[in-house]
Amino acid sequence: MITSREFYTDTPAVFRSILHEQIQKYLPTHVLYRDKHNPHYETQAHHFVEVCRQFMDVKSFIHQDVDLAYELEATGVHLTSEQFDKIKYAKSKNLEVIISTHTLDEVKKAQELGADASTYSPIFSTPNKGEPKGVKDLKNVVESVDINVFALGGITTQKEIQEVKKTGAYGFASIRYFY
């Protein structure tokens, strides 16, 4: 699950309440706090990690910021496709690392550098995210690497979830969770 400012808001009490409700409702294994425009990102990230800790089987990930993830004792960090150079640093902090990828070569590079998983996107049509990769390409990626691959991008219906599951992907991530 990936947070979005539009749904979760940047008001701490409301954010905490909605996040708790969504985790309880959907039981995700991994939750990413991503809000590129919140001027109080660090404060909200703290609330995010606290809520995630209330659920035994939920792993919390902070977007982009290795040091903040470490400081807050999040499970890990989700790096952008421009942050391959941060994988080893994050691993040295004992953080799990998921990195955003868009090609098979990038997923292989992430694996070689020690990432625990990658997000691979966009699988389906997603505004401003380029040509969709499709499930056939996703299946090829999953079968070509040993790290976990999360499908991302345009996964908004049960039909799309079922198509992703057939590829052997570790899971899927959704910003527009099924509210």
Side-chain angles (χ1 to χ4, degrees), residues 2 7 12 15 23 26 38-39 45 53 57-58 60 62 82 89 91 97 114 116 121 123 129 136 139 145 157 163 175:
I2 302 172
F7 182 69
F15 173 83
I23 292 172
Y26 294 107
N38 187 341
R53 280 193 189 120
D57 297 326
V58 172
S60 59
I62 300 297
E82 304 296 318
Y89 176 62
K91 295 303 294 177
V97 175
D116 298 286
S121 69
I123 305 305
K129 297 295 183 182
K136 184 178 178 182
K139 183 173 178 56
V145 296
T157 67
E163 288 183 49
I175 295 171

Side-chain angles (χ1 to χ4, degrees), residues 40-52:
H40 307 289
Y41 185 89
E42 290 182 19
T43 300
Q44 195 82 318
H46 177 78
H47 291 293
F48 167 80
V49 172
E50 280 185 351
V51 171
C52 289

Side-chain angles (χ1 to χ4, degrees), residues 70-140:
Y70 178 75
E71 175 187 324
L72 296 177
E73 298 180 8
T75 306
V77 63
H78 178 263
L79 301 173
T80 71
S81 58
E82 304 296 318
Q83 293 182 294
F84 280 88
D85 62 324
K86 302 275 188 209
I87 293 172
K88 288 184 180 179
Y89 176 62
K91 295 303 294 177
S92 77
K93 298 274 192 183
N94 294 316
L95 294 168
E96 286 189 29
V97 175
I98 302 174
I99 188 163
S100 183
T101 61
H102 308 287
T103 67
L104 174 57
D105 287 342
E106 286 180 345
V107 180
K108 287 180 176 180
K109 180 179 179 182
Q111 179 176 290
E112 289 169 14
L113 292 172
D116 298 286
S118 74
T119 53
Y120 187 70
S121 69
I123 305 305
F124 300 106
S125 182
T126 306
N128 306 313
K129 297 295 183 182
E131 261 318 289
K133 306 293 183 190
V135 291
K136 184 178 178 182
D137 188 52
L138 174 61
K139 183 173 178 56
N140 177 57

Side-chain angles (χ1 to χ4, degrees), residues 20-37:
H20 189 276
E21 175 185 297
Q22 295 299 299
I23 292 172
Q24 199 166 38
K25 182 176 181 180
Y26 294 107
L27 304 173
T29 57
H30 297 67
V31 183
L32 169 62
Y33 176 57
R34 184 173 77 176
D35 184 345
K36 299 175 184 177
H37 305 292

